[in-house]
């Protein structure tokens, strides 16, 4: 059930439905909206940017949820719950989450699209603190003895097309035809 930008502006009073900002307002489609449920909100650029990059949520910005969580709009309540759940390591956010009541249908909707928890987002960084992505190329910065092989991965060796592991301190790559695990503190991103 789509809502026009004009309807969202009227419903929200011409302000962001989360933080009350009045600039750069656009419709935001809430993921995992149940069929027949209005899943659109009118949000400012700051809120949209942070929702699109949950790894960098600014806790201070989201204290605005202490007001918006009481909205009568189900989509606003659901998004407030998701954000508070994501920020629940903050005392103020956990306190608000404890106060927020959602009926069973809204709670199921909120849980269906919950944002990842801070500990769920793995970030692999090289020796210089640069974030690594799967497929990146790195250079080894120190001669490394490879366990279980008679191989020494020499300093300066390029490792192309790395893979990330579930441990943020490890990556995998091929050195001299062998797939090995390398500690991220011994590599730097190249290219």
């Amino acid at each position: 059930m789509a809502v026009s930008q004009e309807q969202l502006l009227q419903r929200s009073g011409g302000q962001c439905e989360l933080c009350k900002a009045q600039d750069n307002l656009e419709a935001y489609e809430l993921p995992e909206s149940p069929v027949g449920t209005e899943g659109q909100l009118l949000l400012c650029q700051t809120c949209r940017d942070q929702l699109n990059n949950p790894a960098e949520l600014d806790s201070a910005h989201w204290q605005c949820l202490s007001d918006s969580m009481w909205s009568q709009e189900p989509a606003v309540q659901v998004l407030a719950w998701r954000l508070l759940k994501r920020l629940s390591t903050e005392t103020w956010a956990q306190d608000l989450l404890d106060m927020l009541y959602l009926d069973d249908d809204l709670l199921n909707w909120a849980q269906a699209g919950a944002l990842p928890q801070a500990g769920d987002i793995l970030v692999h960084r090289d020796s210089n603190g640069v974030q690594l992505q799967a497929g990146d190329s790195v250079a080894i910065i120190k001669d490394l003895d490879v366990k279980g092989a008679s191989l020494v991965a020499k300093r300066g060796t390029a490792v192309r097309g790395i893979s990330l592991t579930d441990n943020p301190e490890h990556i995998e790559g091929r050195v001299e035809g062998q797939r090995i695990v390398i500690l991220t503190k011994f590599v730097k991103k190249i290219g």
Side-chain angles (χ1 to χ4, degrees), residues 34 78 102-110:
V78 165
L102 299 180
D103 65 34
D104 290 342
D105 289 340
L106 284 182
L107 184 58
N108 288 337
W109 177 14

Side-chain angles (χ1 to χ4, degrees), residues 74-93:
V76 176
Q77 294 172 12
V78 165
L79 188 51
W81 185 93
R82 289 178 182 176
L83 286 161
L84 290 170
K85 185 72 172 169
R86 170 69 169 82
L87 295 164
S88 63
T89 57
E90 302 274 344
T91 304
W92 66 267

Side-chain angles (χ1 to χ4, degrees), residues 18 62-70 80 83-84 87 96:
L18 293 178
W62 294 114
Q63 292 190 20
C64 63
L65 296 173
S66 63
D67 290 329
S68 55
M69 70 184 227
W70 304 111
L83 286 161
L84 290 170
L87 295 164
L96 292 177

Side-chain angles (χ1 to χ4, degrees), residues 33-49:
S33 300
V35 175
T37 304
E38 175 46 53
Q40 286 186 315
L41 300 92
L42 192 66
L43 300 181
C44 69
Q45 186 70 47
T46 302
C47 288
R48 289 191 315 273
D49 287 348

Side-chain angles (χ1 to χ4, degrees), residues 11-26:
R11 177 180 90 188
S12 69
Q15 56 190 7
C16 175
E17 292 186 86
L18 293 178
C19 74
K20 309 298 184 211
Q22 297 179 346
D23 297 327
N24 299 318
L25 301 174
E26 288 184 22

Side-chain angles (χ1 to χ4, degrees), residues 39-159:
Q40 286 186 315
L41 300 92
L42 192 66
L43 300 181
C44 69
Q45 186 70 47
T46 302
C47 288
R48 289 191 315 273
D49 287 348
Q50 291 204 23
L51 287 168
N52 291 330
N53 191 5
E56 297 181 14
L57 289 182
D58 176 12
S59 173
H61 176 76
W62 294 114
Q63 292 190 20
C64 63
L65 296 173
S66 63
D67 290 329
S68 55
M69 70 184 227
W70 304 111
S71 170
Q72 295 302 305
E73 292 300 323
V76 176
Q77 294 172 12
V78 165
L79 188 51
W81 185 93
R82 289 178 182 176
L83 286 161
L84 290 170
K85 185 72 172 169
R86 170 69 169 82
L87 295 164
S88 63
T89 57
E90 302 274 344
T91 304
W92 66 267
Q94 185 60 54
D95 291 345
L96 292 177
L97 190 59
D98 291 343
M99 287 189 278
L100 182 59
Y101 171 79
L102 299 180
D103 65 34
D104 290 342
D105 289 340
L106 284 182
L107 184 58
N108 288 337
W109 177 14
Q111 290 172 335
L115 298 169
Q117 296 295 307
D120 294 346
I121 299 171
L122 294 178
V123 178
H124 293 71
R125 297 195 184 276
D126 72 2
S127 60
N128 297 321
V130 176
Q131 185 170 348
L132 299 172
Q133 303 289 335
D136 281 348
S137 294
V138 297
I140 297 173
I141 62 170
K142 173 185 174 186
D143 288 354
L144 301 173
D145 291 325
V146 179
K147 289 184 181 177
S150 60
L151 170 69
V152 175
K154 296 285 188 188
R155 176 180 180 196
T157 301
V159 182

